[in-house]
Amino acid sequence: MNNPFVVTEGRRFTKVEEQMIWHKPASHKTSQEELRIASEIKNNWHDPEMKIMNVLLEGDAGSGKTQLARALSADLQLPYTKVTCFADMDKTDVFGALLPVVAADNDEDRELLETIYQTDSLQEVLTVIATHFQLDANQAKERLSKLIERIDQTETATSVDYKFYPSEIVRAMQKGYLLEIQEPTVIRDASVLVALNSALEPNGLLNIPTGIIRRHADCVVVITTNRNYQGNRPLNESLRDRVQHAEKMDLPSIEVMIERAIAKMNFTDHDYLEIMAKIIRLLDETAKANAIKGVAGMRSYFFWVNSLKQGQDPLESIFPKVLYKLTTDETELNILQTALEQSGLLSALQQVKNQQKMRQGRKISQAEAEQRNIVEEAESATLKNESAEEEKADITQEDAVSDEAIVSEKQAMMDVPEDGTPSEAESKSETASIDEEDKIGSAMSLDELAEIDKNKRKELNREVRKILQETIHAKEGTIVHRPKITEAALAQGKQLTQNVLPEVESLSRVINDLLDKEVSSDFSGGKYYGARFNPGHVAYGDLRNFDKKNPPNEQPSLALAVRVDESGSMLRDDRIETAKLAAVALSLFAEKIQISLMLYGDSADLSQREKTSIYSYKEFDDTYDYLAAKIATMKPRQNNRDGVPLRLLAEKLNQQTADTKLLLSISDGQPKALPDYTGEKAKQDIQTVLKDYERQGILFIACAIGEDKEQLRTLYGENNFVDISDIATLPQQLLHLIARFI
């Protein structure tokens, strides 16, 4: 592995020292502090005057000080060792001590004696000796006999030998290790570490009972200490002055906290991780502001997330994993809990918890799923992943999915059967067939249409990802569906057509007659003269006083994009049924007048990964085959995220070459989707779409058919709003509205 910060090239280590060099686990995330310190040490390593040998890491518990010290061992390739300070630490703990030893106190005998003490019989002792020294039975007996003789000689000896046992600090400085000195500020005697002052300088010296030891040139000392905790004292000024580099260690950013949690515990639910990280940071800030001595840091975060991974309720485990680590004082706990309640983070955590139920909801039958148009798209269809795998994945509509989803405020008053029992109409065959005479001019079979839709669906999902790439919806799961036609849909589509056909034919005849009269083969090229004098135009003074008829190749053109809100509240007052009639009427009218038509339905929050659901009933380049049957599959679903369908329709409408480009939105309420797509955020998103595309010639009209008319008027603007109070006449009103633009 390429390591740019190694400072020990050419140095040879023993096997034990090689094992002391820290190896970064897969869960380790390199921080900016680590890169900065390692780079500083490496860049100044060969400069005798500016060499960085002493580093101070000061910050809160759990901020990653020790992890950073170990990481520097891996970066610099220095053996790592540490010393943890304590209150009664004295100079013998810093330098080492002279202790009595027996003559037989050698490493080999001591290791063997410790093993023998754990046996229960002579035979076990001999077996241990034979195994330890790889001897046969006779040799083991001889080795035991010699050991007993040495012990007897030691017991009868009158002299006592002393040996100097150096401290870990001395050993690290002598051998050139990376030494971490933990919590030196807890030492009561502030002069203890001052004894290290001379050793902390370049070419420093240590004066120990056995002589003077010179500090190894490779030795790096990292001092890690908490900040202003109970029992801590200020770090001695003379010691602090000998530090060449210091870092203030705080809790990392939310993004880094999430990355580390994912790497450490392989828990990937981003919604949970983000809310829990925000809670940890809020508690940390609140504790500091109110002089609460406890700590809410990365350790608390990791163990809290781990308890969630093991199935515990995070709203319950927050107490033993986080709050009680901060304090158990009732007054202080009330302060922390009040801060959480006021922030709304606990409510957000509850909301995330509720969303998880969508993943374990009850499974419904294929027949019910088809009737309700609930489908499960391949994971590759979401916006979160754009790997090569998703291009190969076949987005299917064959798998039934859980239907337990977050119920919005719009659905709270709905009267929906809880047992999910399909009605007689719902029990019809999931597949459909059609007689040739019922194809209404189409030569395409339903199987051919299904195959076309399958390929079209994948293409549309790719287009959606591209269009939404730079928007606030880029990281939300948006999936495009193509409706599957059933026998029930064919029957309902036929009935819808019969209900609106008289009105459509009547209006289309009038429009076609008007268009025919506007077309003439004898027309003026300069518009200053023509077939009929127009005296009303004289007042303008531009000399263009003659009417100009349209030549055959200049017939007025219109491109129409229609969006139907399929949120749950459309169930009320048969709004969805009226919207179906209007959609069928518009499609028939567009086909007869030969104007370009695109028709989408949309909903939100069908599942955790499917934040927005788009139902493509007709694209501009689609034929009108079976369109009424497709429209018949419209139904009330969940929430609505208006900005997504409006942007998709406007972008595709903008690519048309028509003179007039009109986008019609049929909705009964304000936008509302999880987790926070409502209010000012939704308003800004929708108005951004209007602003972006109105400049490009797109005309927007929001048709309000529910109680939120005034709110929609404010949301879309007076110039983009039509109040359709009598939804029973919705099809007729929309037909006449569209006719005005032709």
Side-chain angles (χ1 to χ4, degrees):
M1 181 177 66
N2 184 25
N3 188 341
F5 305 119
V6 177
V7 296
T8 55
E9 297 95 339
R11 179 175 169 183
R12 302 187 65 179
F13 295 106
T14 65
K15 290 184 178 180
V16 174
E17 288 174 335
E18 288 177 353
Q19 294 173 356
M20 292 171 64
I21 298 175
W22 199 64
H23 296 279
K24 294 181 181 180
S27 61
H28 178 77
K29 291 293 181 181
T30 302
S31 65
Q32 292 299 316
E33 292 86 354
E34 177 187 339
L35 293 174
R36 183 161 53 244
I37 297 172
S39 177
E40 288 280 337
I41 293 175
K42 176 65 176 179
N43 293 339
N44 296 281
W45 190 250
H46 298 293
D47 188 336
E49 298 296 329
M50 306 305 296
K51 186 173 183 178
I52 295 176
M53 306 177 67
N54 307 314
V55 177
L56 172 64
L57 304 179
E58 190 170 12
D60 296 324
S63 57
K65 300 184 296 295
T66 295
Q67 182 81 356
L68 176 51
R70 291 171 176 169
L72 290 174
S73 166
D75 292 329
L76 305 175
Q77 285 295 287
L78 285 171
Y80 167 82
T81 187
K82 69 176 180 179
V83 171
T84 302
C85 301
F86 51 93
D88 295 324
M89 195 171 183
D90 59 24
K91 292 184 180 180
T92 60
D93 298 303
V94 173
F95 296 117
L98 283 170
L99 299 175
V101 294
V102 296
D105 186 15
N106 59 69
D107 292 339
E108 190 175 273
D109 285 352
R110 184 165 59 252
E111 182 181 355
L112 179 59
L113 285 170
E114 290 176 355
T115 306
I116 290 175
Y117 294 154
Q118 300 177 19
T119 59
D120 297 326
S121 65
L122 177 60
Q123 187 59 45
E124 288 184 11
V125 170
L126 293 174
T127 302
V128 168
I129 295 175
T131 303
H132 182 78
F133 295 103
Q134 296 183 347
L135 305 173
D136 59 28
N138 292 329
Q139 291 173 328
K141 291 178 181 179
E142 185 178 351
R143 178 61 66 92
L144 177 60
S145 176
K146 290 181 179 180
L147 176 62
I148 293 173
E149 288 178 5
R150 287 200 301 274
I151 294 174
D152 288 341
Q153 291 173 0
T154 300
E155 290 177 349
T156 58
T158 57
S159 62
V160 178
D161 295 328
Y162 288 85
K163 182 178 180 180
F164 178 75
Y165 291 90
S167 69
E168 194 65 16
I169 295 176
V170 172
R171 195 167 75 95
M173 289 191 170
Q174 184 179 24
K175 294 182 177 294
Y177 296 161
L178 187 144
L179 169 67
E180 180 189 1
I181 302 178
Q182 295 182 339
E183 311 302 339
T185 53
V186 302
I187 303 175
R188 289 199 186 99
D189 187 352
S191 66
V192 170
L193 281 183
V194 176
L196 283 176
N197 281 357
S198 61
L200 292 176
E201 296 175 351
N203 301 316
L205 301 174
L206 281 174
N207 191 354
I208 63 175
T210 57
I212 294 177
I213 293 177
R214 185 176 298 275
R215 176 174 176 172
H216 195 288
D218 290 348
C219 179
V220 174
V221 176
V222 179
I223 301 173
T224 59
T225 180
N226 294 323
R227 185 170 53 233
N228 300 326
Y229 284 1
Q230 187 171 358
N232 284 35
R233 293 166 177 79
L235 193 62
N236 183 277
E237 290 82 353
S238 62
L239 185 64
R240 185 184 285 272
D241 185 55
R242 284 169 170 79
V243 170
Q244 293 97 13
H245 186 99
E247 288 282 350
K248 179 175 178 288
M249 303 289 289
D250 293 316
L251 275 175
S253 66
I254 297 292
E255 293 75 17
V256 173
M257 291 177 71
I258 293 172
E259 288 179 5
R260 292 181 181 177
I262 292 174
K264 194 173 187 69
M265 285 160 291
N266 194 30
F267 183 80
T268 58
D269 193 315
H270 191 278
D271 291 337
Y272 264 131
L273 293 173
E274 182 177 8
I275 294 296
M276 293 168 78
K278 289 180 178 178
I279 289 175
I280 292 292
R281 290 188 68 88
L282 175 67
L283 291 174
D284 178 61
E285 294 166 1
T286 305
K288 290 177 181 176
N290 293 275
I292 298 174
K293 296 297 184 180
V295 179
M298 289 300 296
R299 292 190 184 94
S300 298
Y301 181 55
F302 289 152
F303 280 97
W304 189 22
V305 171
N306 189 58
S307 69
L308 170 63
K309 181 182 177 182
Q310 294 173 348
Q312 299 182 39
D313 186 341
L315 292 169
E316 296 178 0
S317 61
I318 188 176
F319 287 92
K321 299 299 183 183
V322 183
L323 288 174
Y324 292 159
K325 288 182 63 178
L326 279 160
T327 180
T328 54
D329 181 85
E330 287 298 329
T331 302
E332 293 180 339
L333 282 173
N334 287 336
I335 293 173
L336 297 174
Q337 289 177 278
T338 300
L340 284 175
E341 291 170 0
Q342 292 177 348
S343 69
L345 290 175
L346 287 181
S347 298
L349 184 61
Q350 179 66 56
Q351 189 177 57
V352 172
K353 176 186 170 184
N354 290 340
Q355 290 182 32
Q356 308 312 308
K357 294 180 180 179
M358 291 186 290
R359 299 177 180 175
Q360 297 97 26
R362 70 179 182 88
K363 294 289 183 179
I364 60 176
S365 67
Q366 182 68 30
E368 186 179 353
E370 292 291 346
Q371 175 63 23
R372 296 177 61 184
N373 206 18
I374 297 178
V375 298
E376 183 174 16
E377 295 290 341
E379 185 69 27
S380 59
T382 67
L383 293 173
K384 297 180 180 178
N385 298 298
E386 295 188 23
S387 64
E389 291 298 324
E390 73 178 9
E391 298 298 331
K392 299 177 183 178
D394 181 16
I395 305 172
T396 66
Q397 290 181 318
E398 299 300 321
D399 299 325
V401 298
S402 168
D403 71 324
E404 184 176 346
I406 298 299
V407 180
S408 68
E409 292 178 4
K410 286 184 163 190
Q411 294 173 286
M413 295 186 290
M414 294 183 199
D415 184 16
V416 181
E418 295 182 355
D419 58 3
T421 305
S423 64
E424 182 179 352
E426 292 174 332
S427 301
K428 291 190 176 183
S429 172
E430 298 170 6
T431 59
S433 59
I434 189 170
D435 297 331
E436 290 296 324
E437 59 270 19
D438 291 333
K439 288 185 179 179
I440 317 177
S442 172
M444 187 185 303
S445 69
L446 288 174
D447 290 339
E448 291 171 336
L449 180 63
E451 185 62 28
I452 291 174
D453 282 345
K454 178 180 178 181
N455 297 325
K456 187 79 171 182
R457 188 169 61 249
K458 290 186 283 186
E459 177 186 342
L460 292 174
N461 276 289
R462 287 193 292 268
E463 290 179 359
V464 165
R465 291 193 290 273
K466 185 176 181 180
I467 294 173
L468 299 180
Q469 193 169 10
E470 302 298 328
T471 71
I472 64 172
H473 311 287
K475 294 184 179 180
E476 303 286 357
T478 300
I479 298 180
V480 180
H481 304 264
R482 296 281 276 185
K484 185 175 181 181
I485 299 175
T486 64
E487 288 186 359
L490 283 170
Q492 188 179 5
K494 190 173 182 179
Q495 184 62 48
L496 291 171
T497 301
Q498 292 174 354
N499 291 342
V500 299
L501 192 56
E503 180 75 20
V504 171
E505 289 182 336
S506 175
L507 182 59
S508 60
R509 280 196 299 268
V510 174
I511 297 299
N512 280 325
D513 288 344
L514 290 174
L515 292 176
D516 289 341
K517 292 177 181 179
E518 287 294 316
V519 178
S520 172
S521 60
D522 181 17
F523 64 96
S524 167
K527 296 191 286 187
Y528 292 95
Y529 57 90
R532 180 170 63 87
F533 181 75
N534 184 6
H537 208 62
V538 174
Y540 290 97
D542 60 359
L543 304 179
R544 302 185 181 190
N545 301 323
F546 293 86
D547 286 342
K548 173 183 178 290
K549 294 183 179 180
N550 293 312
N553 62 342
E554 290 188 16
Q555 183 169 337
S557 60
L558 170 68
L560 175 63
V562 181
R563 174 253 176 162
V564 177
D565 174 10
E566 296 189 44
S567 60
S569 57
M570 290 288 284
L571 182 66
R572 300 176 190 153
D573 304 323
D574 288 331
R575 293 173 188 170
I576 193 66
E577 297 303 321
T578 306
K580 289 180 185 179
L581 283 171
V584 171
L586 289 174
S587 65
L588 291 171
F589 184 66
E591 184 177 14
K592 291 179 180 296
I593 303 302
Q594 297 181 1
I595 60 177
S596 299
L597 174 69
M598 182 177 181
L599 176 61
Y600 273 8
D602 66 273
S603 186
D605 305 320
L606 286 189
S607 73
Q608 176 67 16
R609 63 177 180 175
E610 188 172 350
K611 294 290 187 180
T612 308
S613 306
I614 300 295
Y615 299 90
S616 171
Y617 298 103
K618 186 184 183 303
E619 300 289 330
F620 281 120
D621 57 353
D622 286 341
T623 67
Y624 287 87
D625 294 310
Y626 310 115
L627 183 52
K630 293 180 180 179
I631 293 172
T633 65
M634 287 183 180
K635 64 183 296 297
R637 304 177 197 275
Q638 296 291 336
N639 298 329
N640 54 306
R641 193 184 300 268
D642 294 24
V644 175
L646 290 178
R647 182 171 291 277
L648 295 178
L649 287 166
E651 179 62 29
K652 294 190 176 184
L653 186 58
N654 192 44
Q655 298 170 10
Q656 298 299 300
T657 59
D659 296 334
T660 304
K661 302 173 184 179
L662 178 64
L663 196 158
L664 196 67
S665 175
I666 304 172
S667 178
D668 73 329
Q670 303 177 68
K672 181 175 180 61
L674 295 173
D676 59 353
Y677 189 82
T678 187
E680 191 62 28
K681 180 176 181 179
K683 179 180 179 181
Q684 291 179 1
D685 181 40
I686 292 172
Q687 292 180 344
T688 297
V689 176
L690 300 182
K691 183 179 178 180
D692 289 347
Y693 288 97
E694 281 178 339
R695 290 197 301 260
Q696 303 179 58
I698 305 296
L699 302 176
F700 291 86
I701 296 181
C703 300
I705 59 175
E707 296 84 359
D708 294 337
K709 293 183 177 64
E710 291 308 313
Q711 291 86 343
L712 289 175
R713 187 194 303 271
T714 302
L715 189 63
Y716 286 88
E718 187 68 38
N719 296 331
N720 304 102
F721 175 82
V722 174
D723 182 358
I724 303 180
S725 300
D726 184 7
I727 65 169
T729 62
L730 177 63
Q732 294 83 355
Q733 293 186 69
L734 291 185
L735 285 173
H736 289 279
L737 175 65
I738 300 304
R740 286 162 39 193
F741 290 90
I742 301 176

